[in-house]
Amino acid sequence: MADLNLPVLDLSQLDQGPEAAAQFRDDLAAAAHDVGFFYLIGTGIEPELFRRLQQAARDFFALPEKEKLAIENVHSPQFRGYTRIGGELTQGKVDWREQIDIGPEREPVEGGPAFNRLIGPNLWPAAQPELREVAESWREHLTGISRRLLRSWAEALGAESTHFDADFGDPASLLKIVRYPGTDAPEPQQGVGAHKDSGVLTLLWVEPGKGGLQVERDGAWVDAPPVDDAFIVNIGEMLEYATGGYLKATNHRVISPKAPDDRISVPFFFSPALDAKLPLIELPEELRAEATGVSEDPDNPIHSLYGENSLKSRLRAHPNVAEIHHADLLSPTA
């Protein structure tokens, strides 16, 4: 791991006594303040679950096109289900990947804030019932890991460990299972364009041996190759907001693999309830002096209410779904 461009943190330190736990919290705060990205090992997930996830992903993308398109996201007002290659945009440019989006399994909600339209059921492939079992097991494990990280961040920044708990009673987390097909183009191609995540934190698993993820550090792009049975973790815009910019959401992108190779990755976006306004942390004086404020980007405003942040991202990334189901939100007077 000596050649990795990002810090490596071991979650199991939280179970190795007060001194080791305090060191983990210090390292966690430093990694998110300095880089915004790090590797996480020691999560306690059995290797077999990693293998099952990889196989389920491969089996899904190997389904006949007709089976995948039967659950295409154009059928879902909640932006769930399958997105065909080229069906998502980042910064207005086409991402060269296919994926299935899986959120909390809920009944649709009528009325209320516009972001309530994101609440509803998933679309599951009839030809692959085991995908749901694996995805829900994965979601359960990663929700537990995410809660531990968030509580550790709160303590490291001078707050009670329970500072964020009330807003994550019913998290609006999103799981994506993604395949990046290879390309013959001579120049690097956009698998997914440069962006920051709109939620609180992201746990990313990447198929062993498959590179492509790049993180912006000091104005340059550095590679973040996968580590077996580990996660690549980054913070999102909401955690930057809650810490007044002490913790920074970081730009990242994915470069398409060279044909005939392809790449499976599975990001899990841990986010609060849609109606949650993430509480600000009152930083200790020495940390407050290093907080540079929330990033200002007129093309990408960071909303304090998570549902508004999430809806903004979904409408922008999937304009075809937005036009079919949410045209009123796209009108100049909306």
Side-chain angles (χ1 to χ4, degrees), residues 136-151:
E136 290 181 345
S137 179
W138 191 254
R139 171 187 290 276
E140 180 181 354
H141 279 81
L142 270 60
T143 296
I145 293 169
S146 299
R147 291 188 189 281
R148 298 196 78 186
L149 287 174
L150 203 54
R151 289 168 181 161

Side-chain angles (χ1 to χ4, degrees), residues 117-333:
R117 304 183 193 194
L118 299 177
I119 301 172
N122 291 299
L123 302 182
W124 300 102
Q128 192 193 6
E130 64 273 17
L131 178 66
R132 180 169 183 172
E133 178 189 350
V134 173
E136 290 181 345
S137 179
W138 191 254
R139 171 187 290 276
E140 180 181 354
H141 279 81
L142 270 60
T143 296
I145 293 169
S146 299
R147 291 188 189 281
R148 298 196 78 186
L149 287 174
L150 203 54
R151 289 168 181 161
S152 296
W153 261 311
E155 282 193 80
L157 299 178
E160 295 293 327
S161 64
T162 56
H163 182 79
F164 295 113
D165 281 7
D167 297 296
F168 286 86
D170 185 20
S173 302
L174 178 68
L175 174 65
K176 287 177 177 279
I177 301 176
V178 184
R179 174 181 170 267
Y180 294 91
T183 174
D184 292 318
E187 297 297 325
Q189 299 295 300
Q190 174 174 308
V192 61
H195 67 286
K196 299 177 182 180
D197 293 343
S198 64
V200 171
L201 68 94
T202 304
L203 292 168
L204 172 69
W205 176 81
V206 178
E207 201 170 28
K210 301 296 179 76
L213 175 65
Q214 295 184 328
V215 176
E216 190 174 31
R217 295 194 65 178
D218 301 321
W221 292 105
V222 300
D223 292 326
V227 173
D228 287 0
D229 297 345
F231 293 96
I232 301 171
V233 183
N234 66 281
I235 70 166
E237 295 170 338
M238 293 296 287
L239 200 52
E240 177 178 321
Y241 163 83
T243 62
Y246 180 77
L247 304 183
K248 282 291 187 183
T250 304
N251 271 321
H252 52 288
R253 66 184 185 183
V254 176
I255 302 301
S256 294
K258 290 290 186 182
D261 201 9
D262 65 356
R263 174 184 186 268
I264 298 292
S265 70
V266 184
F268 173 76
F269 304 95
F270 186 61
S271 302
L274 290 171
D275 61 357
K277 185 174 182 178
L278 211 61
L280 304 182
I281 286 184
E282 186 64 35
L283 295 171
E285 185 175 349
E286 65 274 16
L287 301 185
R288 191 164 59 248
E290 298 182 37
T292 56
V294 179
S295 301
E296 295 287 345
D297 182 351
D299 294 325
N300 182 37
I302 299 177
H303 301 288
S304 59
L305 199 63
Y306 174 63
E308 294 177 354
N309 233 28
S310 181
L311 182 61
K312 169 199 72 176
S313 297
R314 305 303 275 169
L315 293 172
R316 187 170 54 194
H318 299 282
N320 57 336
V321 179
E323 289 167 6
I324 293 169
H325 298 286
H326 310 293
D328 59 308
L329 299 180
L330 305 179
S331 67
T333 57

Side-chain angles (χ1 to χ4, degrees), residues 70-82:
I71 59 164
E72 191 175 10
N73 63 356
V74 294
H75 304 301
S76 170
Q78 293 80 32
F79 300 86
R80 309 286 179 83
Y82 175 68

